[in-house]
């Protein structure tokens, strides 16, 4: 399963790299207002779906572009073919492919690949998390020395009660903030300590499934804005356990 996942996500990354430079306006569509999707999002998801259907025909798939198939299966792949489509469309490098495998409602394996950065993350339940084959762990930093990352999916959805409130509360209390546009990669960066923490609201399962297993297997704590397990529906926070506890009061 590990070899299957890593080889296919690498191939998907090659598609992204090869196609990014060729993208034109005609390759981009708007879905629900201000959210964009490119022909490569669809192509990459189609590629991964075909590979999975070929190898594991009785597994289910939840994908951002293709929806849910075989909803009742015990094994289900959760795919975001391009997380950070806006960055991708604008020729930037901070985008990723996110794939997680859920078995009986528990995340079992996950990979986040950033092809333009050459960074391949992998985690398996109980076995730890890895970047390019090297074991990784979350940082030990506290709030006043932390680099946090977040995003504004809620603004593009037109939410009135949005992330600007939390952003304004947290930014003055930390070392610095990053906002690069891929929640999956943000969480992978928390898992390896490049970032200390991440929070966001209005994300979907396919944005965070792989990242959540990476952070958990790297020793971090992932929860919703109340400290519970209803993420991403009730917001999501990911950091080392002490830092997650420090961030939570600012998200009430
Ligand atoms: P995407 O690139 O797959 O759309 C950045 O803030 C994160 O939010 C990314 O993971 C992005 O995923 C997601 N995102 C962007 N716009 C969104 C929207 N309107 N609703 C939900 N998620 C969104
Ligand atoms: Ca996407």
């Amino acid at each position: 399963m590990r070899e299957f996942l890593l080889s296919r996500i690498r191939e998907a990354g090659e598609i992204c790299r090869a196609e990014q430079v060729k993208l034109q306006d005609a390759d981009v569509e708007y879905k629900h207002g201000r959210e964009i999707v490119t022909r490569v999002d669809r192509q990459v998801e189609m590629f991964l779906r075909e590979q999975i259907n070929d190898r594991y025909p009785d597994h289910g798939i939840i994908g951002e572009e293709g929806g849910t198939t075989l909803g009742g299966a015990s094994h289900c792949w959760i795919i975001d073919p391009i997380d950070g489509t806006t960055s991708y469309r604008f020729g930037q490098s901070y985008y990723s492919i996110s794939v997680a495998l859920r078995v009986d409602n528990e995340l079992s394996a996950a990979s986040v690949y950033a092809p333009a950065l050459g960074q391949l993350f992998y985690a398996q339940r109980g076995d730890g998390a890895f970047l390019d084959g090297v074991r990784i762990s979350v940082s030990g930093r506290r709030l006043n020395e932390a680099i946090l990352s977040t995003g504004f999916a809620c603004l593009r959805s037109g939410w009135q009660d949005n992330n600007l409130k939390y952003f304004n509360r947290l930014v003055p209390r930390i070392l610095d903030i990053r906002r690069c546009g891929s929640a999956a990669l943000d969480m992978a960066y928390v898992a390896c300590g490049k970032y200390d923490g991440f929070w966001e609201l209005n994300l979907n399962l396919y944005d965070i499934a792989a990242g959540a297993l990476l952070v958990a297997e790297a020793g971090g704590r992932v929860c919703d804005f109340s400290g519970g397990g209803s993420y991403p529906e009730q917001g999501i926070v990911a950091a080392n356990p002490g830092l997650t506890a420090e961030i939570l009061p600012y998200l009430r």
Side-chain angles (χ1 to χ4, degrees):
M1 200 83 87
R2 176 179 177 278
E3 284 321 306
F4 172 79
L5 173 53
L6 293 183
S7 73
R8 297 322 188 271
I9 204 167
R10 274 199 198 93
E11 283 183 62
E14 281 317 304
I15 299 173
C16 291
R17 278 165 64 93
E19 298 300 321
Q20 188 178 26
V21 289
K22 301 183 204 158
L23 271 189
Q24 308 199 332
D25 286 348
D27 299 320
V28 182
E29 273 173 47
Y30 285 82
K31 54 178 186 185
H32 352 100
R34 293 163 69 187
E35 217 180 316
I36 64 175
V37 59
T38 74
R39 67 170 165 79
V40 190
D41 294 70
R42 299 209 172 91
Q43 186 182 342
V44 169
E45 181 158 332
M46 190 95 76
F47 167 76
L48 290 169
R49 280 178 178 268
E50 280 168 6
Q51 296 294 317
I52 292 164
N53 286 336
D54 229 43
R55 181 73 164 262
Y56 305 110
D58 55 341
H59 287 191
I61 300 177
I62 298 171
E64 174 163 20
E65 313 305 338
T68 301
T69 43
L70 277 178
S74 63
H75 289 61
C76 182
W77 298 84
I78 303 167
I79 300 172
D80 191 341
I82 301 184
D83 188 56
T85 299
T86 308
S87 299
Y88 182 75
R89 193 272 170 272
F90 284 84
Q92 299 163 15
S93 300
Y94 201 93
Y95 67 89
S96 62
I97 300 157
S98 174
V99 181
L101 175 65
R102 194 175 65 186
V103 180
D104 297 330
N105 275 325
E106 202 172 54
L107 293 170
S108 147
S111 181
V112 172
Y113 181 38
L117 304 171
Q119 294 168 339
L120 179 61
F121 295 85
Y122 177 77
Q124 196 162 326
R125 175 165 298 278
D127 269 356
F130 303 85
L131 165 55
D132 296 331
V134 178
R135 188 176 292 276
I136 53 176
S137 60
V138 294
S139 80
R141 291 191 201 93
R142 305 308 296 256
L143 194 64
N144 63 355
E145 53 186 3
I147 292 202
L148 300 187
S149 65
T150 188
F152 294 92
C154 51
L155 289 182
R156 271 194 266 163
S157 294
W159 285 23
Q160 292 303 309
D161 186 17
N162 59 51
N163 195 21
L164 291 172
K165 177 171 73 185
Y166 307 120
F167 185 87
N168 284 328
R169 284 184 196 162
L170 277 160
V171 170
R173 293 180 167 79
I174 62 178
L175 180 66
D176 209 346
I177 188 81
R178 295 291 180 270
R179 187 268 179 267
C180 295
S182 167
L185 193 51
D186 289 343
M187 293 180 80
Y189 272 25
V190 171
C192 67
K194 291 182 193 290
Y195 293 163
D196 301 298
F198 166 78
W199 88 91
E200 191 161 352
L201 55 165
N202 193 30
L203 292 177
N204 294 293
L205 177 64
Y206 42 75
D207 297 311
I208 59 92
L213 185 62
L214 281 166
V215 171
E217 286 298 319
R221 177 183 168 202
V222 183
C223 62
D224 64 32
F225 282 9
S226 307
S230 300
Y231 58 85
E233 298 80 16
Q234 306 290 322
I236 184 165
V237 189
N240 70 64
L243 182 55
T244 295
E246 277 190 289
I247 292 170
L248 282 173
Y250 297 97
L251 301 176
R252 295 236 168 83

